[in-house]
Amino acid sequence: MGWAVLVLLLAGCGSARVNPSALPTADLPYAGAIVAYGVGETLVGLGVSTDGRLFVLSESGVQLVRGFDWGLGGELSALLTGETMGSGLLAPADFDPTNGQDVLIADGSRVLRFSDEGQRVQTLDVPAVDRLEPTPGSTRSPGEAVAVAAGTDGRVFVADASRGVVQVWRDGALVDVLDGLGRPVSLAADGRRVAVADAEQDVIRVLDSDGRPLATLEHEALAGLRSVSFAGDRILALGTEAVVVFEGGAVRVIPVSNGAALLDVALAGDRLFGVTADAVVLLGLVE
């Protein structure tokens, strides 16, 4: 990672340390906060790269969360880099660091791509369109990018809330518009599939890498659907009171109704993390 790293030991920042003996096996609410931000720093989302790094998106940008090592006292300590990627954001709503090479941020009516060194290398101006136009015009009104995911072959999937569609970009150009997906609020991609969280019907719509429907995942615990992510062959979906894990034909429901509202979840190894507006929390272990 090429960021300048100013490491803060979060025990001095109002955060709690989590003892492994107290960790639930992801069937109980919060085990405790491991990263806590100060007043005025609102968190937005979590993401895990393919090499296992955990990132957090806030109003001021993206930071890498480091550590998760068991200390001599049997406690899990977390470190946070002090360098922020993506300063000057307007309205960050979502991000995708999964490929481990760059970071995409959905920010208002645009998607920003940052290199692993933290340099902005691309800006996609997201328009409000219902379909692909033969000749794109300069008078198109701006859209509202609420979710982003990096697909294969350089494709970028963007959920536009202004039209309720998923746009497909490649090499800086809009190449397709996917409709009929309800109200997309979150996206995830794993190279083979794209998952769309449809908050209109509280279902997960799974597409192939070209946007063709593969499956629709449903469960009553998806009420208030907020986010979706991939973790290997697993698909994680966050509802108002539970995380639902889909793996093959099996479904696991993890209640998380206690404490502050979760905005996003991510699975790093066997550790399930969530994010609230002011803290990253360790929910438990998923075997």
Side-chain angles (χ1 to χ4, degrees):
M1 199 73 178
W3 305 348
V5 177
L6 173 61
V7 178
L8 303 176
L9 186 59
L10 294 176
C13 300
S15 63
R17 290 190 177 188
V18 181
N19 191 296
S21 64
L23 282 177
T25 56
D27 57 0
L28 295 174
Y30 307 160
I34 59 168
V35 178
Y37 278 74
V39 177
E41 185 71 13
T42 301
L43 303 185
V44 178
L46 281 180
V48 178
S49 63
T50 52
D51 55 6
R53 292 178 295 172
L54 180 68
F55 296 83
V56 59
L57 173 66
S58 72
E59 288 182 328
S60 63
V62 176
Q63 290 194 48
L64 173 66
V65 183
R66 301 172 62 90
F68 312 127
D69 292 325
W70 302 116
L72 295 177
E75 295 176 325
L76 179 64
S77 62
L79 303 175
L80 179 70
T81 60
E83 186 73 11
T84 299
M85 175 188 294
S87 59
L89 299 180
L90 302 176
D94 186 40
F95 75 132
D96 184 1
T98 56
N99 66 14
Q101 300 174 0
D102 51 15
V103 174
L104 296 168
I105 302 177
D107 181 40
S109 61
R110 59 186 185 170
V111 169
L112 308 177
R113 184 192 297 271
F114 291 86
S115 69
D116 194 48
E117 289 75 29
Q119 300 298 315
R120 188 194 298 189
V121 295
Q122 186 181 51
T123 299
L124 303 178
D125 293 317
V126 177
V129 293
D130 295 314
R131 62 190 62 84
L132 190 63
E133 301 173 351
T135 306
S138 60
T139 60
R140 296 181 299 184
S141 59
E144 182 185 355
V146 294
V148 62
T152 57
D153 303 327
R155 278 176 288 193
V156 175
F157 296 87
V158 181
D160 169 31
S162 72
R163 293 295 185 271
V165 299
V166 174
Q167 300 179 4
V168 184
W169 293 74
R170 181 188 286 131
D171 298 327
L174 180 61
V175 297
D176 202 359
V177 178
L178 309 178
D179 59 8
L181 299 172
R183 180 163 63 89
V185 295
S186 179
L187 302 173
D190 69 352
R192 299 177 292 111
R193 301 166 295 171
V194 179
V196 181
D198 172 10
E200 182 176 83
Q201 298 188 27
D202 286 333
V203 299
I204 303 299
R205 303 186 185 278
V206 183
L207 317 175
D208 68 14
S209 59
D210 291 319
R212 293 183 292 260
L214 293 176
T216 299
L217 306 179
E218 304 178 67
H219 196 282
E220 60 184 9
L222 290 181
L225 183 59
R226 297 177 180 178
S227 73
V228 64
S229 60
F230 283 108
D233 291 332
R234 295 166 169 166
I235 296 178
L236 276 66
L238 173 64
T240 303
E241 298 184 349
V243 177
V244 182
V245 182
F246 298 93
E247 185 173 12
V251 179
R252 183 177 182 183
V253 177
I254 303 168
V256 289
S257 58
N258 191 32
L262 288 175
L263 304 176
D264 199 3
V265 292
L267 189 61
D270 61 355
R271 296 167 186 163
L272 180 63
F273 295 93
V275 65
T276 69
D278 58 8
V280 176
V281 294
L282 179 57
L283 299 174
L285 304 179
V286 177
E287 299 174 351

